[in-house]
């Protein structure tokens, strides 16, 4: 949506089906009938004895298969225990049945924690895993892009997010409708996030990701345990926001917000600085006087968030986490030039660790990501060259074609191509292909035991 087109400066996730076909032959001789009867009697006696005396399996192949299957230790009733039941909706009354319930930001929601808990109690199949269930929300404007390649770029950006969600079993919602007529541009995301909370009470976290942000570490997962006592996570530096009063001390283009009453209350206050408020122009003046480096004259969501953290810290600050330990989102200018060195460091690691080179099904990619993470966290192995989690093309506007005048348009488009192909290489690898050149859309087959060969 239009919020994604803001020009900003920035500082700097078996069934083994054993079938057997038995062929039977029928002999019609009296002798064979006699033998069949004798054998039946013997089998009955043998079967009765087997309850008392175990009969060893003499086939070494079957023994081997059985041993391997037991070693896999499959959980029982996995699907019935953990998979949400999508075909059932409880008849019990919930907040959905209340005609006063509104999805719009104009009418506040109250007692949301209780209402959400009640819904989960009525839908127990969604309760398992609920504390770590994430819904990714993104979107773009409702109209066609002015940039001739803009719609193609948005499609590729969205594909990247769908790939990440598929790898980590996350749901995703893409919106291109303006849910509040007065909340356009960078403010358009908040009515979407609020509606998503109500549409998905099973999700603990709503993760907004701007359309111009690309997942560039497809294996990395959010450290949700780190945020267990917080309700809002953004990329930023507390000193820059609170002490220096810099509007670029954080970035609001990617944020993780808990699905709870605190978040609804906070977004109501946050959005009150937006264009739907009669005091909108006054808020612009207040924000510019507080944050001296603010460029835009009007009130924007990023500076508004910085204001709430810096000036109303006693009210909200304790539940907000400014993440600076990894690229929760990172400024593209300083990142895209590092992809080559990063790829070589990861290839060097795989040459040393044969298990990471092993071909595998895409569905088990998280297993290999967890193994790789042990090495990546060792600074002596990867050092500063770990993949950036999210590369954010702030200042480039893929849909409108406009860009920050401090760099050339071609730098934006080449940077996007490199980032998209860098991420796509991680997706295509289990399918057996790679982009050899990050500026080339063509792909080549991956040799067996790559990159050791």
């Amino acid at each position: 949506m239009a919020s994604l087109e803001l020009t900003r400066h920035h500082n700097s996730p078996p069934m083994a089906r054993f079938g057997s076909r038995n062929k039977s032959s029928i002999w019609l001789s009296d002798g064979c009938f006699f033998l069949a009867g004798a054998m039946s009697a013997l089998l009955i006696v043998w079967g009765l004895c087997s309850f008392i005396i175990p009969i060893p399996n003499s086939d070494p192949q079957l023994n081997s298969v059985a041993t391997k299957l037991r070693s896999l230790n499959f959980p029982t009733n996995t699907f019935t225990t953990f998979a949400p039941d999508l075909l059932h909706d409880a008849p019990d009354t919930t907040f959905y049945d209340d005609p006063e319930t509104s999805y719009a930001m104009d009418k506040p929601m109250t007692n949301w924690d209780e209402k959400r808990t009640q819904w989960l109690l009525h839908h127990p199949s969604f309760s398992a895993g609920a504390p770590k269930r994430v819904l990714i929300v993104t979107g773009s404007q409702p109209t066609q892009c002015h940039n001739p390649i803009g719609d193609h770029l948005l499609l590729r950006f969205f594909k990247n997010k769908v790939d990440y969600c598929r790898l980590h079993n996350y749901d995703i919602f893409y919106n291109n409708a303006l849910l509040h007529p007065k909340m356009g541009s960078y403010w358009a995301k908040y009515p979407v996030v609020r509606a998503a909370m109500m549409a998905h009470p099973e999700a603990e976290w709503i993760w907004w990701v701007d359309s111009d942000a690309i997942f560039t570490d497809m294996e990395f997962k959010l450290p949700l345990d780190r945020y267990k006592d917080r309700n809002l996570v953004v990329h930023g530096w507390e000193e820059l926001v609170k002490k220096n009063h810099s509007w670029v001390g954080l970035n609001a283009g990617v944020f993780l917000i808990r699905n709870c009453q605190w978040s609804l209350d906070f977004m109501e206050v946050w959005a009150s600085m937006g264009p739907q408020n009669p005091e909108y122009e006054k808020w612009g003046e207040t924000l510019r006087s507080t944050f001296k480096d603010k460029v835009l004259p009007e009130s924007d969501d990023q500076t508004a968030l910085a204001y709430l953290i810096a000036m109303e810290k006693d009210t909200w600050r304790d539940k907000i986490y400014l993440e600076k330990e990894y690229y929760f989102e990172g400024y593209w200018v300083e990142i895209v030039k590092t992809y080559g060195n990063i790829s070589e460091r990861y290839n060097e690691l795989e040459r040393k660790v044969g298990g990471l080179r092993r071909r595998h099904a895409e569905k088990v990619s998280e297993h290999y990501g967890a193994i790789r993470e042990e090495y990546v966290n060792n600074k002596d192995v990867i050092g500063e060259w770990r993949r950036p989690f999210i590369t954010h093309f702030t200042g480039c506007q893929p849909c409108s074609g406009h860009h920050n005048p401090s760099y050339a348009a071609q730098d934006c488009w080449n940077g996007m191509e490199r980032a998209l192909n860098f991420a796509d290489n991680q997706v295509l690898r289990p399918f057996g292909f790679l982009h050899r050149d990050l500026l080339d859309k063509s792909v080549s087959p991956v040799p067996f035991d790559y990159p050791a060969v």
Side-chain angles (χ1 to χ4, degrees), residues 195-211:
M197 288 182 174
M198 298 177 61
H200 286 270
E202 83 286 355
E204 179 70 12
W205 295 97
I206 307 297
W207 187 4
W208 173 267
V209 183
D210 269 1
S211 67

Side-chain angles (χ1 to χ4, degrees), residues 84-186:
D85 186 354
L86 304 180
L87 297 177
H88 171 72
D89 190 10
D92 307 81
T93 300
T94 69
F95 67 91
Y96 287 116
D97 300 298
D98 182 358
E100 297 300 316
T101 296
S102 173
Y103 291 80
M105 295 201 72
D106 297 333
K107 188 172 182 179
M109 166 65 77
T110 58
N111 300 319
W112 175 240
D113 294 339
E114 292 82 358
K115 292 172 182 177
R116 181 170 169 250
T117 299
Q118 182 189 52
W119 187 92
L120 286 170
L121 289 173
H122 292 323
H123 299 79
S125 69
F126 289 90
S127 297
K132 293 193 175 182
R133 188 169 291 125
V134 176
L135 171 69
I136 292 184
V137 181
T138 185
S140 60
Q141 71 295 317
T143 57
Q144 183 177 346
C145 290
H146 294 296
N147 182 7
I149 62 171
D151 290 307
H152 174 68
L153 286 172
L154 290 184
L155 175 63
R156 295 184 67 193
F157 275 72
F158 181 52
K159 175 197 175 298
N160 166 262
K161 296 174 179 66
V162 171
D163 285 336
Y164 183 83
C165 289
R166 185 182 66 256
L167 290 169
H168 298 287
N169 198 29
Y170 290 159
D171 287 333
I172 185 169
F173 173 61
Y174 188 101
N175 177 66
N176 64 347
L178 190 61
L179 300 191
H180 193 296
K182 293 183 179 180
M183 297 183 72
S185 187
Y186 25 75

Side-chain angles (χ1 to χ4, degrees), residues 412-430:
C412 283
W413 316 140
N414 287 344
M416 292 176 187
E417 186 71 26
R418 288 176 60 83
L420 287 164
N421 289 337
F422 178 76
D424 208 33
N425 272 350
Q426 300 166 51
V427 175
L428 288 175
R429 178 79 176 271

